[in-house]
Amino acid sequence: MSEIQDTYKTLSHPVTEIIFKEKNSKFIGFAYPVQTEEEIKLKLEEVKKLHYSARHWCYAYQIGIEKIKTRANDDGEPNNSAGMPLLGQIQSFGLTNVLVIVVRYFGGVKLGVGGLVSAYKTTAQQTLLEAQIEEKFRMIDFVIQFGYPNMNKVMRLIKEKNLTIRHQEMNETCQIYISVRKKHAQNTIELFENLHEITLKKIDNSQD
């Protein structure tokens, strides 16, 4: 049985204002760690406001961990001359949950499709080379539900197995929310499945 791969690579911090020039055109690269399309929309608006007089604001993103979603946008440049080279660099670096934006100020000299592909690719590459890349774990979220008399038993298990508590609600019926690495999820389920009056439920909003 093959080992479950439960790590992925993303950016630890944004990278902004990486400049590349080609035949009087100026290309400015940005890279952001993102998780949702709403975050992506906000970052695009932010960059457009910052460089409101630019000619193009091209971008690409890849989000998700198991269910991958990608998009490449040429923003008025010839088809596949801008967005796809940006996406290609995200994938070349083996990243996900990343947005790359390249702003172009036109310098009066046309670069041609080949020149554009090269310029956008180079800007994205230089931008990502400046980034700090970190490896993260794929996490699965669970909630442990139990009556208050079972508190000591549950807390002892959590401590013994070094489980990460994210949130807890201590009432007549107690709920403790935990996160575990994907590779340890099945062991965690088995740990709790035969316990009397203690239930473990997977939470549907775990990472994709």
Side-chain angles (χ1 to χ4, degrees), residues 46-93:
E46 187 180 299
V47 171
K48 285 183 178 182
K49 284 178 184 175
L50 191 63
H51 290 282
Y52 59 89
S53 60
R55 178 73 68 91
H56 302 281
W57 304 269
C58 305
Y59 67 91
Y61 63 78
Q62 179 157 301
I63 56 175
I65 299 168
E66 293 180 356
K67 298 174 186 175
I68 300 293
K69 187 167 190 177
T70 64
R71 187 171 180 192
N73 188 301
D74 297 309
D75 193 42
E77 296 281 33
N79 283 348
N80 298 323
S81 67
M84 287 306 292
L86 305 187
L87 181 60
Q89 287 304 299
I90 293 171
Q91 294 174 338
S92 176
F93 278 76

Side-chain angles (χ1 to χ4, degrees), residues 112-174:
V113 171
L116 287 171
V117 169
S118 177
Y120 279 103
K121 176 183 175 181
T122 300
T123 308
Q125 183 182 55
Q126 291 184 357
T127 302
L128 291 172
L129 283 170
E130 291 293 322
Q132 184 176 340
I133 294 170
E134 64 177 347
E135 190 171 66
K136 290 189 171 185
F137 297 125
R138 302 180 186 183
M139 304 299 288
I140 304 293
D141 297 334
F142 293 98
V143 57
I144 309 166
Q145 297 175 321
F146 55 95
Y148 200 83
N150 287 302
M151 170 70 71
N152 288 342
K153 185 190 293 185
V154 171
M155 295 308 291
R156 187 171 64 250
L157 279 172
I158 288 172
K159 186 175 180 181
E160 283 175 3
K161 300 301 179 181
N162 200 27
L163 302 177
T164 301
I165 296 176
R166 294 183 60 198
H167 175 65
Q168 46 191 337
E169 298 170 6
M170 300 304 179
N171 301 305
E172 188 174 336
T173 299
C174 302

